[in-house]
Amino acid sequence: MRIVLRLLVPVLLVLLWWTTSAGSTSPFYPPLREVLAAFQESWLFTRLGSDLVPSVTRLLAGLLIATVVGIAVGAALGRSRLLMQALNPAVQFGRSLPGTALIPISVVLFGIGDGSKILVIAFVCLFPVLLNTVDAVRGVDPHLEDVARSYRLTPAQRLAFVLLPAAAPQIFAGIRTALGIAFIMMVVTELYAATNGVGFVTLSARNSFDVPQMWAGTVLLGLLGVALSALFLVLQRRVLSWHIGMTERN
Amino acid sequence: MRPTLLLPVLTTAALLGSWEVLSGTGVLPAEVPPVSDIAAWLWANIGTAVVWTAVSQTLAHWAVALIVGVTVGVLVGAAMASVPVVNELLLGIVEFLRPIPVVVYLPIMLLLLGARPVVVVVLAAVAALWPMLLQTLYGVRDVDPVTTDTARVFGLTTPQRLVWVTAPSMLPYFFTGLRIASTITLLVAIAMELIGAVPGLGNTLATYAGNGLYDATYGVIVIAGLLGVGLNAVFERLERRALRWHSAYRTQQA
Amino acid sequence: MLSVTNLRKTYGSGGQAVEAIRDLTLTVDKGEFVCIVGPSGAGKTTMLKCLCGLLKPSSGTVTLDGAPVTGPPKEIASVFQDYSRSLMPWFTVQRNVGLPLRNRYRSAADRAERVATALDAVGLSGFGDRYPWQLSGGMQQRVAIARGLAYAPEILLLDEPFASVDAQTRADLEDLILRVRDDTGVTMLLVTHDIDEAVYLADRVVVMSARPSVVLETVPVDLPRPRDQVTTKRLPRFAELRAHVLTLIRRTALDGAAPTPDQHSTIGARR
């Protein structure tokens, strides 16, 4: 019953789209049938390798760099009050700067290739991961660190077996925020200047008045957003299964 | 000066100083002007109408979008949280639409409505809507049932309970949502201006960068950054104030 | 032999300095079971942290078999008070117990064997794959004890290990500790605020004063072993010792500050 209710509105919306667009003669609002045809023609699977794969690769590469650097730098800043104080103005500015404002200058500096896009995605995603890591590392229970020290764990073991696992739930919250931002950055970098990518295809369809293609690209981007978010949740559920179990118990 | 103030000032000065030297000696490419040139541009232009028009346009997009997004988000969120049927009806679509970043709709919106401020505002408002909706959902659900029962026992009417029980319990979530919404709205507004060539900071940036005016490009980035710092500071202060008596219930959704 | 000489520990500095421990001297012989009791806030945990090298004393020395303790020694294992905050919730019971063994045994099979033995000793065989938060409080504290035992220490330090479990579990855990001690011969140093527990378990009870702490008296416990929750606690001698320690604690708790050690007491000297 619940499933039916939850699916009711999405199904109704699609039906509404289908019926209202079926007889549409407006060039901007093509019949859903045509959109689906364009979707199949482009994305199953002609452009999959040439455009979808580059988009997703850039997003994941940027996010991965941001995650690795963010956790490493965040852990260092979280451990050292002095270091955090010293870099605080730079960090505050970096995280408050609307990341999309960096896109024009990144194109000037690094061109419109993959490197430029990955770099700007990584830079903007860095801050949510970094700040969450700082917070998380600071919040690690000192009792656990006493245990680790009294049993003579090496600093590397303390990092791997105590500090990072303890910080993981909050770090994941940061990565999740970063994922949303990475997606925005991916699309905007491709809309601004690119030679391939889903965003690029969608925007160039506008310039050639291939309206069904635009709608198809939009649908694909939407599905991609949903898919990435779902995949992330699966990953999180795996890595943090202990945390989920513990929280549900309390 | 206290040592806690001295250290960040010194490191920041050192960072900017090394940028200046690296740029002056040509280690950095010509597209990265020295800090002094950027500062000089800012000094000369910070009072000009061009800069202030762009700032105010972006701020206007941000403000209208935030108000619309927050209002809709709170209303829908509250409706979902308090009326089970509404929740069941909307949950599917919310779960589906929420992970889709608003920039996805940009090409279509540009096609349908053209490069106009209303496109910026509509999309930025949608961006603001999701964090508000979610935080409202969490907030209303988190109202302590004991408090609600107590209020009922003392004979408070429904509107009274809303004002004296539900609203105060929700406030921390509201401000957390507001802070997240503000950040994302500014990010999206600038992106829209950038892509759609709608007047504002984003468009100004694109124009300067495209014409090789790098002092000005960095100057505007600094302005955008300071705008972000300022807005963040305001909303964080509001949030901290709201959380002061409620800190134990703070969510990690941010 | 663990020996502590004129240990002093103050926190902070200047006008805000808090003197937790003023002057502690005590020795724990090999194979001995020593309990330290004191009123709450007597700096007992601070003292233990100094003993196991987690805190640096402000002055005085801690030596283990003649060598000064400067960091956590490999001969000492600790069981901490709050089990919910001393076990890693992201590791299963086995991995928790095996974690400190990584630097001792290269091979995972050796580690697994030691872990199994330790879990068996505390009666938790079969629970290795559970997570700590899936177990009751008493079981979690047994995991912490197993972790200490697997480490094969000469000395086991226990910081109010049974403070957060219910009375029945507490008695079970006390007997578990006594049995483990008989089986392994490990030296035990247990801190508690429970006088019954101290007298029941110990060969010697060291009574600490309220903060700033000094040793009020060392009371030898001449109760026969093996001990039993019913028969031992029914002995007149148990009541005598208990009353004696309680008197000391009451006095220091009332006085607050450190009094001079009670010279008139005779009961402790009888043997």
PDB file of all heavy atoms in Angstrom, chain B residues 168-190:
ATOM      1  N   PRO B 168       9.404  26.196  18.330  1.00  0.00           N
ATOM      2  CA  PRO B 168      10.716  26.297  19.001  1.00  0.00           C
ATOM      3  C   PRO B 168      11.579  25.041  18.831  1.00  0.00           C
ATOM      4  O   PRO B 168      12.779  25.138  18.649  1.00  0.00           O
ATOM      5  CB  PRO B 168      10.351  26.503  20.469  1.00  0.00           C
ATOM      6  CG  PRO B 168       8.969  26.987  20.473  1.00  0.00           C
ATOM      7  CD  PRO B 168       8.308  26.390  19.281  1.00  0.00           C
ATOM      8  N   SER B 169      10.944  23.857  18.854  1.00  0.00           N
ATOM      9  CA  SER B 169      11.728  22.637  18.684  1.00  0.00           C
ATOM     10  C   SER B 169      12.333  22.555  17.293  1.00  0.00           C
ATOM     11  O   SER B 169      13.382  21.971  17.082  1.00  0.00           O
ATOM     12  CB  SER B 169      10.848  21.397  18.894  1.00  0.00           C
ATOM     13  OG  SER B 169      10.139  21.505  20.080  1.00  0.00           O
ATOM     14  N   MET B 170      11.616  23.133  16.341  1.00  0.00           N
ATOM     15  CA  MET B 170      12.063  23.066  14.958  1.00  0.00           C
ATOM     16  C   MET B 170      13.164  24.058  14.629  1.00  0.00           C
ATOM     17  O   MET B 170      13.873  23.902  13.648  1.00  0.00           O
ATOM     18  CB  MET B 170      10.891  23.384  14.051  1.00  0.00           C
ATOM     19  CG  MET B 170      10.157  22.205  13.543  1.00  0.00           C
ATOM     20  SD  MET B 170       9.131  22.830  12.231  1.00  0.00           S
ATOM     21  CE  MET B 170      10.382  23.556  11.176  1.00  0.00           C
ATOM     22  N   LEU B 171      13.229  25.101  15.430  1.00  0.00           N
ATOM     23  CA  LEU B 171      14.085  26.239  15.087  1.00  0.00           C
ATOM     24  C   LEU B 171      15.523  25.856  14.740  1.00  0.00           C
ATOM     25  O   LEU B 171      16.050  26.318  13.724  1.00  0.00           O
ATOM     26  CB  LEU B 171      14.056  27.252  16.238  1.00  0.00           C
ATOM     27  CG  LEU B 171      14.013  28.717  15.807  1.00  0.00           C
ATOM     28  CD1 LEU B 171      12.876  28.956  14.828  1.00  0.00           C
ATOM     29  CD2 LEU B 171      13.883  29.618  17.009  1.00  0.00           C
ATOM     30  N   PRO B 172      16.165  25.007  15.535  1.00  0.00           N
ATOM     31  CA  PRO B 172      17.544  24.647  15.187  1.00  0.00           C
ATOM     32  C   PRO B 172      17.647  24.027  13.796  1.00  0.00           C
ATOM     33  O   PRO B 172      18.556  24.339  13.036  1.00  0.00           O
ATOM     34  CB  PRO B 172      17.931  23.632  16.257  1.00  0.00           C
ATOM     35  CG  PRO B 172      17.005  23.880  17.383  1.00  0.00           C
ATOM     36  CD  PRO B 172      15.739  24.362  16.781  1.00  0.00           C
ATOM     37  N   TYR B 173      16.694  23.149  13.482  1.00  0.00           N
ATOM     38  CA  TYR B 173      16.711  22.521  12.160  1.00  0.00           C
ATOM     39  C   TYR B 173      16.489  23.576  11.088  1.00  0.00           C
ATOM     40  O   TYR B 173      17.103  23.532  10.024  1.00  0.00           O
ATOM     41  CB  TYR B 173      15.617  21.458  12.076  1.00  0.00           C
ATOM     42  CG  TYR B 173      15.896  20.271  12.951  1.00  0.00           C
ATOM     43  CD1 TYR B 173      15.437  20.215  14.253  1.00  0.00           C
ATOM     44  CD2 TYR B 173      16.646  19.211  12.468  1.00  0.00           C
ATOM     45  CE1 TYR B 173      15.704  19.128  15.051  1.00  0.00           C
ATOM     46  CE2 TYR B 173      16.926  18.116  13.254  1.00  0.00           C
ATOM     47  CZ  TYR B 173      16.438  18.082  14.555  1.00  0.00           C
ATOM     48  OH  TYR B 173      16.719  17.007  15.344  1.00  0.00           O
ATOM     49  N   PHE B 174      15.598  24.492  11.385  1.00  0.00           N
ATOM     50  CA  PHE B 174      15.309  25.556  10.427  1.00  0.00           C
ATOM     51  C   PHE B 174      16.577  26.324  10.093  1.00  0.00           C
ATOM     52  O   PHE B 174      16.906  26.558   8.926  1.00  0.00           O
ATOM     53  CB  PHE B 174      14.257  26.496  11.022  1.00  0.00           C
ATOM     54  CG  PHE B 174      13.945  27.680  10.150  1.00  0.00           C
ATOM     55  CD1 PHE B 174      13.084  27.556   9.073  1.00  0.00           C
ATOM     56  CD2 PHE B 174      14.528  28.908  10.409  1.00  0.00           C
ATOM     57  CE1 PHE B 174      12.812  28.647   8.260  1.00  0.00           C
ATOM     58  CE2 PHE B 174      14.256  30.002   9.603  1.00  0.00           C
ATOM     59  CZ  PHE B 174      13.395  29.876   8.524  1.00  0.00           C
ATOM     60  N   PHE B 175      17.346  26.692  11.109  1.00  0.00           N
ATOM     61  CA  PHE B 175      18.539  27.502  10.849  1.00  0.00           C
ATOM     62  C   PHE B 175      19.644  26.691  10.190  1.00  0.00           C
ATOM     63  O   PHE B 175      20.401  27.219   9.380  1.00  0.00           O
ATOM     64  CB  PHE B 175      19.026  28.164  12.135  1.00  0.00           C
ATOM     65  CG  PHE B 175      18.198  29.359  12.506  1.00  0.00           C
ATOM     66  CD1 PHE B 175      17.356  29.326  13.602  1.00  0.00           C
ATOM     67  CD2 PHE B 175      18.234  30.509  11.732  1.00  0.00           C
ATOM     68  CE1 PHE B 175      16.572  30.417  13.926  1.00  0.00           C
ATOM     69  CE2 PHE B 175      17.453  31.603  12.047  1.00  0.00           C
ATOM     70  CZ  PHE B 175      16.622  31.556  13.153  1.00  0.00           C
ATOM     71  N   THR B 176      19.718  25.399  10.533  1.00  0.00           N
ATOM     72  CA  THR B 176      20.690  24.555   9.832  1.00  0.00           C
ATOM     73  C   THR B 176      20.341  24.489   8.346  1.00  0.00           C
ATOM     74  O   THR B 176      21.199  24.668   7.476  1.00  0.00           O
ATOM     75  CB  THR B 176      20.688  23.138  10.427  1.00  0.00           C
ATOM     76  OG1 THR B 176      20.986  23.229  11.815  1.00  0.00           O
ATOM     77  CG2 THR B 176      21.723  22.251   9.756  1.00  0.00           C
ATOM     78  N   GLY B 177      19.046  24.268   8.069  1.00  0.00           N
ATOM     79  CA  GLY B 177      18.598  24.240   6.677  1.00  0.00           C
ATOM     80  C   GLY B 177      18.874  25.554   5.975  1.00  0.00           C
ATOM     81  O   GLY B 177      19.321  25.590   4.832  1.00  0.00           O
ATOM     82  N   LEU B 178      18.625  26.644   6.680  1.00  0.00           N
ATOM     83  CA  LEU B 178      18.817  27.976   6.112  1.00  0.00           C
ATOM     84  C   LEU B 178      20.273  28.186   5.711  1.00  0.00           C
ATOM     85  O   LEU B 178      20.580  28.697   4.631  1.00  0.00           O
ATOM     86  CB  LEU B 178      18.410  29.020   7.150  1.00  0.00           C
ATOM     87  CG  LEU B 178      18.057  30.407   6.641  1.00  0.00           C
ATOM     88  CD1 LEU B 178      16.927  30.331   5.636  1.00  0.00           C
ATOM     89  CD2 LEU B 178      17.673  31.317   7.796  1.00  0.00           C
ATOM     90  N   ARG B 179      21.198  27.765   6.581  1.00  0.00           N
ATOM     91  CA  ARG B 179      22.623  27.943   6.284  1.00  0.00           C
ATOM     92  C   ARG B 179      23.023  27.137   5.042  1.00  0.00           C
ATOM     93  O   ARG B 179      23.679  27.652   4.140  1.00  0.00           O
ATOM     94  CB  ARG B 179      23.458  27.488   7.482  1.00  0.00           C
ATOM     95  CG  ARG B 179      24.953  27.497   7.221  1.00  0.00           C
ATOM     96  CD  ARG B 179      25.731  27.123   8.465  1.00  0.00           C
ATOM     97  NE  ARG B 179      25.373  25.819   9.006  1.00  0.00           N
ATOM     98  CZ  ARG B 179      25.859  24.670   8.537  1.00  0.00           C
ATOM     99  NH1 ARG B 179      26.691  24.662   7.521  1.00  0.00           N
ATOM    100  NH2 ARG B 179      25.501  23.524   9.076  1.00  0.00           N
ATOM    101  N   ILE B 180      22.591  25.886   5.004  1.00  0.00           N
ATOM    102  CA  ILE B 180      22.932  25.061   3.843  1.00  0.00           C
ATOM    103  C   ILE B 180      22.297  25.651   2.592  1.00  0.00           C
ATOM    104  O   ILE B 180      22.935  25.763   1.542  1.00  0.00           O
ATOM    105  CB  ILE B 180      22.448  23.609   4.055  1.00  0.00           C
ATOM    106  CG1 ILE B 180      23.067  23.031   5.324  1.00  0.00           C
ATOM    107  CG2 ILE B 180      22.789  22.746   2.864  1.00  0.00           C
ATOM    108  CD1 ILE B 180      22.477  21.705   5.753  1.00  0.00           C
ATOM    109  N   ALA B 181      21.030  26.071   2.710  1.00  0.00           N
ATOM    110  CA  ALA B 181      20.309  26.617   1.561  1.00  0.00           C
ATOM    111  C   ALA B 181      20.991  27.874   1.051  1.00  0.00           C
ATOM    112  O   ALA B 181      21.131  28.071  -0.154  1.00  0.00           O
ATOM    113  CB  ALA B 181      18.855  26.895   1.944  1.00  0.00           C
ATOM    114  N   SER B 182      21.426  28.719   1.967  1.00  0.00           N
ATOM    115  CA  SER B 182      22.066  29.971   1.554  1.00  0.00           C
ATOM    116  C   SER B 182      23.321  29.690   0.733  1.00  0.00           C
ATOM    117  O   SER B 182      23.541  30.287  -0.327  1.00  0.00           O
ATOM    118  CB  SER B 182      22.411  30.798   2.790  1.00  0.00           C
ATOM    119  OG  SER B 182      23.428  31.724   2.488  1.00  0.00           O
ATOM    120  N   THR B 183      24.152  28.779   1.206  1.00  0.00           N
ATOM    121  CA  THR B 183      25.391  28.444   0.503  1.00  0.00           C
ATOM    122  C   THR B 183      25.107  27.919  -0.892  1.00  0.00           C
ATOM    123  O   THR B 183      25.684  28.382  -1.882  1.00  0.00           O
ATOM    124  CB  THR B 183      26.170  27.370   1.299  1.00  0.00           C
ATOM    125  OG1 THR B 183      26.296  27.819   2.637  1.00  0.00           O
ATOM    126  CG2 THR B 183      27.532  27.140   0.704  1.00  0.00           C
ATOM    127  N   ILE B 184      24.190  26.961  -0.966  1.00  0.00           N
ATOM    128  CA  ILE B 184      23.932  26.312  -2.245  1.00  0.00           C
ATOM    129  C   ILE B 184      23.253  27.296  -3.205  1.00  0.00           C
ATOM    130  O   ILE B 184      23.513  27.283  -4.414  1.00  0.00           O
ATOM    131  CB  ILE B 184      23.104  25.020  -2.043  1.00  0.00           C
ATOM    132  CG1 ILE B 184      23.119  24.158  -3.304  1.00  0.00           C
ATOM    133  CG2 ILE B 184      21.696  25.266  -1.650  1.00  0.00           C
ATOM    134  CD1 ILE B 184      24.255  23.191  -3.328  1.00  0.00           C
ATOM    135  N   THR B 185      22.403  28.174  -2.665  1.00  0.00           N
ATOM    136  CA  THR B 185      21.711  29.136  -3.513  1.00  0.00           C
ATOM    137  C   THR B 185      22.704  30.101  -4.164  1.00  0.00           C
ATOM    138  O   THR B 185      22.602  30.401  -5.354  1.00  0.00           O
ATOM    139  CB  THR B 185      20.677  29.926  -2.691  1.00  0.00           C
ATOM    140  OG1 THR B 185      19.826  28.999  -2.033  1.00  0.00           O
ATOM    141  CG2 THR B 185      19.851  30.828  -3.565  1.00  0.00           C
ATOM    142  N   LEU B 186      23.673  30.557  -3.393  1.00  0.00           N
ATOM    143  CA  LEU B 186      24.677  31.480  -3.951  1.00  0.00           C
ATOM    144  C   LEU B 186      25.493  30.776  -5.036  1.00  0.00           C
ATOM    145  O   LEU B 186      25.737  31.330  -6.119  1.00  0.00           O
ATOM    146  CB  LEU B 186      25.598  31.973  -2.825  1.00  0.00           C
ATOM    147  CG  LEU B 186      26.570  33.086  -3.226  1.00  0.00           C
ATOM    148  CD1 LEU B 186      25.821  34.334  -3.645  1.00  0.00           C
ATOM    149  CD2 LEU B 186      27.533  33.409  -2.085  1.00  0.00           C
ATOM    150  N   LEU B 187      25.894  29.553  -4.740  1.00  0.00           N
ATOM    151  CA  LEU B 187      26.670  28.762  -5.711  1.00  0.00           C
ATOM    152  C   LEU B 187      25.902  28.616  -7.023  1.00  0.00           C
ATOM    153  O   LEU B 187      26.435  28.835  -8.117  1.00  0.00           O
ATOM    154  CB  LEU B 187      26.942  27.381  -5.104  1.00  0.00           C
ATOM    155  CG  LEU B 187      27.773  26.391  -5.897  1.00  0.00           C
ATOM    156  CD1 LEU B 187      29.222  26.505  -5.455  1.00  0.00           C
ATOM    157  CD2 LEU B 187      27.289  24.968  -5.690  1.00  0.00           C
ATOM    158  N   VAL B 188      24.619  28.255  -6.900  1.00  0.00           N
ATOM    159  CA  VAL B 188      23.803  28.013  -8.085  1.00  0.00           C
ATOM    160  C   VAL B 188      23.500  29.323  -8.811  1.00  0.00           C
ATOM    161  O   VAL B 188      23.558  29.388 -10.047  1.00  0.00           O
ATOM    162  CB  VAL B 188      22.509  27.270  -7.685  1.00  0.00           C
ATOM    163  CG1 VAL B 188      21.506  27.278  -8.816  1.00  0.00           C
ATOM    164  CG2 VAL B 188      22.837  25.850  -7.276  1.00  0.00           C
ATOM    165  N   ALA B 189      23.216  30.392  -8.067  1.00  0.00           N
ATOM    166  CA  ALA B 189      22.910  31.675  -8.696  1.00  0.00           C
ATOM    167  C   ALA B 189      24.081  32.115  -9.567  1.00  0.00           C
ATOM    168  O   ALA B 189      23.899  32.533 -10.723  1.00  0.00           O
ATOM    169  CB  ALA B 189      22.595  32.725  -7.631  1.00  0.00           C
ATOM    170  N   ILE B 190      25.294  32.006  -9.028  1.00  0.00           N
ATOM    171  CA  ILE B 190      26.463  32.424  -9.809  1.00  0.00           C
ATOM    172  C   ILE B 190      26.654  31.514 -11.022  1.00  0.00           C
ATOM    173  O   ILE B 190      26.967  31.978 -12.122  1.00  0.00           O
ATOM    174  CB  ILE B 190      27.714  32.455  -8.904  1.00  0.00           C
ATOM    175  CG1 ILE B 190      27.594  33.649  -7.954  1.00  0.00           C
ATOM    176  CG2 ILE B 190      28.984  32.565  -9.730  1.00  0.00           C
ATOM    177  CD1 ILE B 190      28.723  33.795  -6.983  1.00  0.00           C
TER     178      ILE B 190
END
